[in-house]
Amino acid sequence: MNLLDFLVSPAAAQAAGAPAQPSPYSGLIMIGLMFVFFWFFLIRPQMKRAKEHRELLARLEKGDEVMTSGGIAGRITELGESLVTVEIAQNVSIKVQRQAITAVLPKGTLKSA
């Protein structure tokens, strides 16, 4: 009897035979589950937000009060295909890309601010 017999029993140290092979499909199942996870929690919500933003940009009209991605609030005075003129103060207008508009504010928001 040696020192290792006290730490590891001889029966546990003996090989029990060939280990069972894992299923060859388990890796494919895990990849499929990861894809489903990414689809429902990352890709699909991003596609939904992009669609809502496209619809918001399509509904823009002259006179709408908007917020840009830079945090500038103003009223639309002129609409172009890719640029929008936004009046941010009396007689002060800037041109921004249409994609930079992130929100349409309720009417009268700028007067109360």
Side-chain angles (χ1 to χ4, degrees), residues 40-92:
F40 281 105
F41 291 104
L42 296 174
I43 298 170
R44 190 166 172 253
Q46 181 61 33
M47 288 172 45
K48 184 178 178 184
R49 279 191 297 270
K51 180 181 175 186
E52 289 171 354
H53 189 248
R54 280 192 309 271
E55 290 172 356
L56 175 126
L57 295 179
R59 289 190 314 257
L60 287 178
E61 296 177 353
K62 189 175 179 179
D64 283 347
E65 296 177 359
V66 295
M67 180 73 69
T68 67
S69 60
I72 299 172
R75 184 174 291 106
I76 294 177
T77 57
E78 187 179 325
L79 285 168
E81 191 172 316
S82 63
L83 294 176
V84 176
T85 303
V86 178
E87 184 180 30
I88 56 175
Q90 193 170 14
N91 298 325
V92 179

